Amino acid sequence: MNKIVLTAASRVGNIRSNNEDMILAFDKYVRSDIYQTILAPDNLDRFVIAVADGMGGHNAGEVASEVVLQNLKFFFNDLPKGLSSGDLEEAMNDWLQSVHQTVNARGRANKEQANMGTTLVALLYYGQRYFWMNCGDSRLYRLRDGQLKQLTTDHSLNTEEGEKRHSNYITNCIGAGCKETYIDMIEITADVKTGDTYVLCSDGLNDMVPDEYTRQMLVDGATANDLCQEAIAAGGFDNVSVCVLRVEDQL
């Protein structure tokens, strides 16, 4: 029996005046705050951990990330029990298309929210099974046996190689006036092991902190807030949001 030690942090950074990121950490929304809890998967039917990195003028990005995470929480918790992995993936794809239309419709209805959108990366637990899903360039990493691996693929193009500033052109997201969207969704149930550490983050982390340094910090026991602080110390050009999930033996 395993437990998951979860830490979550979302920070505004040094340049921006508002935080467009938001985290859904089980039953808690986190923005410009820190949070920690312990999850016992064997005693839970489902949970979701997600990071949304909003974009848009004025405060529109923070509206988009909040709308998507609130929608995700209620949709996921309302799913019936007993869905197969294929049925769950189909349901999440249907949800994506629906929330994509919702965000775009709100953007069209309010000129201050025009073209607002958000990325989304999430770890889902449903019916004793684990899945990840991704839309955009937020990331999921896994640390195992001291080695850090990015599990998701960025839906973006790097326009300025080597730059730490926001140099990626996002090719897929939720909203932002895009006509189409999609998610990558992968089941990882058989691959979740005691001792693993999973990290979900907005690009405010990986744009500022090299993966090798993130790896070493995680090996040394870093929390989500430790990683956010490192990104801010490195310049903090963007909002930064991180979730760290450590899979440990249940005592």
Side-chain angles (χ1 to χ4, degrees), residues 29-102:
Y29 297 109
V30 181
R31 171 178 281 156
S32 301
D33 200 2
I34 61 175
Y35 176 70
Q36 62 182 27
T37 191
I38 296 176
L39 303 174
D42 286 348
N43 298 328
L44 296 170
D45 174 63
R46 69 191 72 186
F47 63 79
V48 56
I49 312 296
V51 172
D53 182 351
M55 64 195 81
H58 301 283
N59 297 326
E62 62 190 57
V63 173
S65 58
E66 182 173 353
V67 167
V68 167
L69 289 187
Q70 288 181 341
N71 197 301
L72 173 61
K73 178 183 177 182
F74 288 113
F75 179 87
F76 187 69
N77 287 339
D78 282 346
L79 286 172
K81 295 183 179 181
L83 293 179
S84 67
S85 296
D87 287 342
L88 178 63
E89 183 173 350
E90 182 177 352
M92 298 314 301
N93 273 289
D94 289 345
W95 167 80
L96 177 73
Q97 301 307 319
S98 175
V99 75
H100 180 64
Q101 293 177 16
T102 296

Side-chain angles (χ1 to χ4, degrees), residues 52-249:
D53 182 351
M55 64 195 81
H58 301 283
N59 297 326
E62 62 190 57
V63 173
S65 58
E66 182 173 353
V67 167
V68 167
L69 289 187
Q70 288 181 341
N71 197 301
L72 173 61
K73 178 183 177 182
F74 288 113
F75 179 87
F76 187 69
N77 287 339
D78 282 346
L79 286 172
K81 295 183 179 181
L83 293 179
S84 67
S85 296
D87 287 342
L88 178 63
E89 183 173 350
E90 182 177 352
M92 298 314 301
N93 273 289
D94 289 345
W95 167 80
L96 177 73
Q97 301 307 319
S98 175
V99 75
H100 180 64
Q101 293 177 16
T102 296
V103 173
N104 277 336
R106 289 192 58 165
R108 289 191 297 269
N110 185 338
K111 66 179 181 179
E112 291 189 347
Q113 297 175 358
N115 295 320
M116 70 177 181
T118 186
T119 68
L120 177 72
V121 64
L123 187 68
L124 309 176
Y125 179 76
Y126 171 89
Q128 307 293 307
R129 287 165 285 159
Y130 290 93
F131 305 80
W132 62 254
M133 66 180 191
N134 177 56
C135 177
D137 66 348
S138 294
R139 292 180 176 181
L140 173 67
Y141 292 91
R142 182 191 67 211
L143 178 76
R144 174 178 291 166
D145 298 328
Q147 300 301 310
L148 187 67
K149 179 180 180 180
Q150 181 181 341
L151 300 183
T152 53
T153 299
D154 296 344
H155 301 159
S156 65
L157 299 173
N158 192 334
T159 58
E160 295 183 41
E161 188 67 33
E163 282 288 316
K164 282 187 175 181
R165 295 180 184 272
H166 226 36
S167 58
N168 289 343
Y169 173 78
I170 296 176
T171 58
N172 179 43
C173 65
I174 301 172
C178 297
K179 292 183 178 180
E180 298 180 354
T181 187
Y182 65 92
I183 53 171
D184 296 332
M185 185 168 176
I186 302 292
E187 181 174 357
I188 56 170
T189 306
D191 197 41
V192 176
K193 302 181 184 301
T194 301
D196 284 350
T197 297
Y198 292 87
V199 179
L200 298 93
C201 65
S202 63
D203 62 357
L205 176 67
N206 51 269
D207 277 354
M208 302 307 305
V209 182
D211 284 1
E212 173 55 27
Y213 202 80
T214 296
R215 184 198 70 80
Q216 188 58 58
M217 290 185 68
L218 291 168
V219 169
D220 293 340
T223 66
N225 195 49
D226 292 333
L227 293 173
C228 287
Q229 287 288 88
E230 187 62 30
I232 292 170
F237 295 136
D238 197 1
N239 308 144
V240 55
S241 296
V242 181
C243 294
V244 176
L245 300 89
R246 296 186 181 273
V247 184
E248 301 180 357
D249 282 324

